[in-house]
Amino acid sequence: MKNPESQQLIVAGVGIELLRKRVRNVNFRIYPPDGRVRVSAPLRMGEREIRRAVEAKLDWILRQRTRIAEQPRPPAMRLESGELHLVDGRRCRLEVVDLPGVSRAELLPGDVLRLQVPPETDAAGRLRVLEGWYRQRFTDRLPQLLARWEAVVGRRARDCRVRRMRTLWGSCSTGTGRIRLNLELARRSVRCQEYVLVHELTHLHERGHTRRFYALMDRFLPDWRERKRELEQHPLWRYHDESGVSAL
């Protein structure tokens, strides 16, 4: 569903969704899986100036769309026994057990992810149980991660929570000090979780992705580029049912 306040533009043959917001600069986002382009621009910036800004970034936009188009599409998951699911970056075999009583998930020796649900539970119900397990597992780890990396970065988050996010690995509100981390990170390695957390904490020093920001990242987490590549190695997990696709 498109934002009711958005405007559609065509620049050099590329469709652009334009949103006017309380921002200082023109910001660009390219969304998988189809390379949709969204531009956020200051409220009072004229359309001609916005078009010039898009044209100046056109080569970058086209490169990003090509990169997204070339990414392998992950297999659709139906939450059935035998599927492979990532847990802390490891591939674990899902074992669905139909038993009356309390629904739960647990990680067993041998990288077996056991999902216990009542016999009548459909795929959507299994998803809710598994997602809740991932969320709790990641949330329980956050205090330890924050204690370690806030000390390194020298900034403290006022609040840090796990959320389902469609396009971002994390976000930071520099005005409030609130950090949000993508639930998908619960499936990735601790190294990847740390990279995103440090990235967002660093925004409490520097709001934008400036040279200073990346210099600070180099100081706080010297191997952040390697961790970023690891994070992007696996595409987002997908779940299929008759109503469509839902990402964890």
Side-chain angles (χ1 to χ4, degrees):
M1 180 180 296
K2 289 183 171 53
N3 190 308
E5 299 179 358
S6 67
Q7 176 184 352
Q8 302 302 310
L9 300 178
I10 302 294
V11 180
V14 177
I16 306 291
E17 182 183 0
L18 170 63
L19 280 78
R20 297 183 182 276
K21 303 172 67 175
R22 295 185 182 277
V23 294
R24 295 182 179 179
N25 304 305
V26 180
N27 301 308
F28 300 83
R29 294 197 184 281
I30 316 297
Y31 294 96
D34 56 357
R36 178 169 57 91
V37 183
R38 174 178 288 179
V39 174
S40 300
L43 294 172
R44 297 184 179 181
M45 181 175 285
E47 182 177 319
R48 181 176 298 178
E49 188 176 356
I50 294 171
R51 286 181 175 274
R52 286 199 297 265
V54 173
E55 290 170 354
K57 292 282 288 187
L58 194 58
D59 286 346
W60 177 85
I61 290 172
L62 294 176
R63 287 198 304 272
Q64 296 303 310
R65 297 187 78 183
T66 298
R67 180 182 64 82
I68 289 172
E70 292 176 347
Q71 287 181 343
R73 296 296 301 275
M77 297 295 184
R78 300 182 182 277
L79 292 163
E80 298 173 348
S81 292
E83 291 177 349
L84 295 178
H85 291 249
L86 291 177
V87 178
D88 291 341
R90 306 196 311 274
R91 293 184 181 274
C92 298
R93 182 175 57 82
L94 184 67
E95 179 184 275
V96 179
V97 179
D98 294 329
L99 285 175
V102 178
S103 299
R104 64 177 183 176
E106 58 182 332
L107 188 61
L108 302 177
D111 288 341
V112 174
L113 178 55
R114 188 175 190 265
L115 179 62
Q116 177 182 321
V117 290
E120 68 276 8
T121 306
D122 60 11
R126 295 178 183 182
L127 176 65
R128 286 192 293 271
V129 175
L130 187 59
E131 182 180 84
W133 178 79
Y134 274 116
R135 183 186 299 274
Q136 189 61 54
R137 182 183 177 88
F138 191 22
T139 299
D140 290 345
R141 180 175 289 160
L142 281 182
Q144 178 183 355
L145 294 178
L146 285 166
R148 177 181 180 184
W149 291 105
E150 285 176 337
V152 173
V153 175
R155 289 289 189 274
R156 294 190 63 182
R158 180 173 297 178
D159 183 50
C160 185
R161 297 187 184 184
V162 178
R163 277 191 175 179
R164 177 186 288 180
M165 306 171 76
R166 293 180 59 86
T167 58
L168 299 175
W169 289 111
S171 66
C172 176
S173 173
T174 56
T176 63
R178 292 185 172 88
I179 288 175
R180 299 294 179 262
L181 300 177
N182 195 329
L183 175 59
E184 167 74 7
L185 286 169
R187 303 177 59 244
R188 307 308 171 100
S189 69
V190 176
R191 283 170 46 83
C192 293
Q193 296 169 10
E194 290 177 329
Y195 157 67
V196 176
L197 179 58
V198 172
H199 183 109
E200 303 308 333
L201 286 171
T202 302
H203 277 307
L204 297 177
H205 282 285
E206 184 73 12
R207 180 175 182 178
H209 293 119
T210 62
R211 290 184 178 180
R212 179 172 181 262
F213 174 86
Y214 290 115
L216 289 170
M217 285 291 294
D218 288 337
R219 183 197 307 174
F220 301 144
L221 195 66
D223 66 343
W224 68 267
R225 292 174 181 84
E226 179 183 335
R227 296 182 188 225
K228 183 175 185 289
R229 285 192 294 269
E230 179 183 336
L231 177 64
E232 296 172 345
Q233 181 179 358
H234 299 287
L236 290 178
W237 182 87
R238 294 185 302 141
Y239 158 68
H240 264 298
D241 66 7
E242 293 179 357
S243 62
V245 180
S246 174
L248 177 60

